[in-house]
Amino acid sequence: MIDPVTGEIIDEQQLAEQLLRQAKEQGVDLLGPDGLLNGLTKRVLESALEVELTEHLGHEKHQLSEGGNIRNGTRSKTVLTEVGPVQIDVPRDRDGSFEPKIVKKRQRRLTGVDEIVLSLTARGLTTGEVAAHFDDVYGAQVSKDTISRITDKVIEEMTDWANRPLDRVYPVVFIDALVVKVRDGQVRNKPFYIAVGVTVNGERDILGIWAGDGGEGAKFWLGVLTEIKNRGVEDVCIVVCDGLKGLPESINTAWPLATVQTCVIHLIRNTFRFASRHYWEEMGKDLRPVYTAPTEVAAAERFREFDAKWGAQYPAITKLWQNAWSEFVPFLDWDVEIRRVICSTNAIESLNARYRRAVRARGHFPNDAAALKCLYLVTRSLDPTGRGRARWATRWKPALNAFAIAFEGRIN
């Protein structure tokens, strides 16, 4: 920062420490209606409004006006900011042509407050809980209707996001369903379908979220995959999914050259369902050599060792892997770099965990639209651009080379 009067560089750290020291000596709190941050926010906003009015009038305060329009006092208004309610004096001009930009006419909250509301909603808080949060933390009264109007602003944005053009080719696409409780006459479990792609540049791209209609899952997925294709996805190398009957046929209808791979992550997750949480970490270490084995023979040997340790205590896990073995084995044929991409448990589970946390916090939703809005807000919170993009792997180039060799001519 540079002092506008002396031209000297201001040390921001020293300035902050000086303000805090003076506030402490004078018994002024940091937060609250009469707090330090509240007062600073008031001065900054009022100073900015004065600068705007000066630019609008074309002359400084107390100078003669050439056009006849002059300052005409101020009017008080309270705006909700990130530090709580702040009462400011908004300058006026005589002919009423001044249109402030930083705090517009009839504006009662700064845009940062809207982002706080959207962030809290993305974490699953209800409108009542968000209102209580503002009351407890900022001492501000924000109605449930106001909070609903703020979150409703993203509906148009969500529509644009859901219909945006997609990349021409994705090396990998993961498809999964999330169960959400929706009150449709009565509260019932309803599937919400999620598709996540890994781009050629190694980024995670959440392709969309769809509310199920209660029909057959594989048939609904065909409609979803067709929509994704119509949005520009001409080819997908590998589609990772669960073992839903009829799903491979739906995938190959959309992309005939796509390879369907049973999701190893689902298999691992289902394994833990049969075991006590106390053993999850140890069991995960013992299971890792199975799905990282170089060949099917080596994987079978590692699983026998796993079964010898855990089979007697958890026989359902042994049966689970035996039933899924034929669907699991093709995974072992892939290059180790491709395996790392399609078995990135951290990348997938972290995303699913964010969705599930928000859904569990709400309990249930009044309708599909409310559930979709919540899930989209979670997606939006993952990436400031609202597209839900993030880096998939730190070492992407080796994986890209492996895909280019395994699917020659399709990755470009």
Side-chain angles (χ1 to χ4, degrees):
M1 293 177 61
I2 300 177
D3 191 311
V5 178
T6 64
E8 296 179 353
I9 297 177
I10 301 174
D11 189 318
E12 297 181 14
Q13 181 67 27
Q14 289 183 356
L15 178 60
E17 291 175 355
Q18 181 181 351
L19 289 172
L20 287 171
R21 185 168 56 253
Q22 290 177 352
K24 187 175 182 180
E25 291 173 354
Q26 298 170 12
V28 177
D29 294 330
L30 182 62
L31 300 174
D34 300 318
L36 174 62
L37 292 180
N38 191 290
L40 288 174
T41 303
K42 172 181 172 67
R43 291 186 182 183
V44 170
L45 292 177
E46 290 178 347
S47 297
L49 289 168
E50 282 291 345
V51 171
E52 286 188 25
L53 182 57
T54 297
E55 293 177 353
H56 173 72
L57 297 176
H59 63 84
E60 297 289 341
K61 199 171 186 178
H62 306 305
Q63 288 184 349
L64 294 177
S65 170
E66 296 179 0
N69 191 17
I70 61 174
R71 286 172 168 78
N72 189 31
T74 61
R75 61 182 178 85
S76 296
K77 68 182 293 185
T78 300
V79 292
L80 184 59
T81 72
E82 293 92 326
V83 298
V86 176
Q87 187 174 20
I88 61 174
D89 294 323
V90 182
R92 301 183 298 181
D93 61 339
R94 177 167 289 180
D95 64 13
S97 60
F98 176 48
E99 294 287 344
K101 299 293 189 297
I102 190 168
V103 183
K104 298 180 176 62
K105 288 183 177 179
R106 293 174 293 279
Q107 182 180 354
R108 291 295 177 181
R109 63 181 183 275
L110 300 187
T111 54
V113 174
D114 289 10
E115 291 302 320
I116 293 175
V117 170
L118 295 176
S119 177
L120 292 173
T121 306
R123 284 162 173 76
L125 272 67
T126 64
T127 55
E129 290 169 337
V130 174
H133 172 83
F134 275 94
D135 189 18
D136 293 342
V137 177
Y138 304 110
Q141 301 295 323
V142 183
S143 69
K144 295 180 182 180
D145 290 339
T146 299
I147 295 169
S148 293
R149 286 195 296 271
I150 293 173
T151 56
D152 284 344
K153 287 182 179 180
V154 303
I155 293 178
E156 184 177 351
E157 178 186 311
M158 179 175 67
T159 302
D160 293 339
W161 173 79
N163 294 286
R164 75 193 188 281
L166 300 174
D167 294 354
R168 189 189 68 81
V169 59
Y170 286 88
V172 183
V173 168
F174 297 85
I175 58 177
D176 198 5
L178 178 71
V179 177
V180 179
K181 294 184 182 296
V182 178
R183 188 174 65 247
D184 184 12
Q186 61 180 3
V187 177
R188 62 188 181 93
N189 291 332
K190 194 167 187 178
F192 281 70
Y193 298 90
I194 301 168
V196 181
V198 180
T199 71
V200 175
N201 295 323
E203 294 179 315
R204 177 199 66 204
D205 189 5
I206 301 174
L207 308 182
I209 306 171
W210 297 264
D213 58 6
E216 185 180 353
K219 184 178 181 181
F220 187 89
W221 267 122
L222 177 60
V224 168
L225 299 176
T226 301
E227 179 186 322
I228 293 174
K229 182 178 181 179
N230 292 339
R231 286 165 59 192
V233 182
E234 298 177 9
D235 190 16
V236 175
C237 297
I238 302 174
V239 179
V240 182
C241 59
D242 59 15
L244 182 65
K245 184 179 180 181
L247 189 51
E249 290 77 8
S250 298
I251 294 171
N252 290 133
T253 299
W255 300 292
L257 297 179
T259 300
V260 181
Q261 172 65 59
T262 298
C263 184
V264 177
I265 296 168
H266 278 85
L267 189 57
I268 297 170
R269 185 193 303 162
N270 291 336
T271 299
F272 291 147
R273 287 177 56 194
F274 291 105
S276 169
R277 182 181 292 270
H278 177 74
Y279 298 113
W280 283 6
E281 183 176 357
E282 183 181 359
M283 187 175 288
K285 291 179 180 178
D286 293 339
L287 199 56
R288 182 176 177 80
V290 178
Y291 60 84
T292 58
T295 64
E296 179 182 354
V297 175
E301 180 61 30
R302 300 290 81 76
F303 183 73
R304 279 193 289 271
E305 295 173 0
F306 175 88
D307 185 48
K309 181 176 180 179
W310 299 101
Q313 187 175 2
Y314 298 112
I317 294 179
T318 301
K319 186 175 181 180
L320 172 70
W321 277 81
Q322 289 174 345
N323 292 339
W325 192 258
S326 60
E327 299 171 342
F328 159 72
V329 166
F331 172 77
L332 302 173
D333 294 333
W334 297 114
D335 182 278
V336 65
E337 296 294 342
I338 294 179
R339 288 195 208 178
R340 187 176 290 116
V341 174
I342 63 179
C343 195
S344 298
T345 54
N346 289 340
I348 301 170
E349 287 304 305
S350 62
L351 176 63
N352 287 338
R354 293 287 292 273
Y355 285 137
R356 291 192 180 94
R357 187 184 307 131
V359 168
R360 282 198 301 267
R362 286 293 299 268
H364 67 273
F365 296 87
N367 48 51
D368 290 351
L372 281 172
K373 184 169 69 173
C374 179
L375 293 173
Y376 172 70
L377 286 172
V378 175
T379 303
R380 187 179 184 273
S381 69
L382 299 174
D383 172 22
T385 67
R387 298 185 64 181
R389 289 217 174 197
R391 191 165 182 80
W392 184 265
T394 55
R395 295 177 64 256
W396 173 249
K397 292 302 181 181
L400 181 61
N401 279 266
F403 275 106
I405 294 172
F407 302 94
E408 186 175 358
R410 294 169 62 183
I411 302 291
N412 51 49

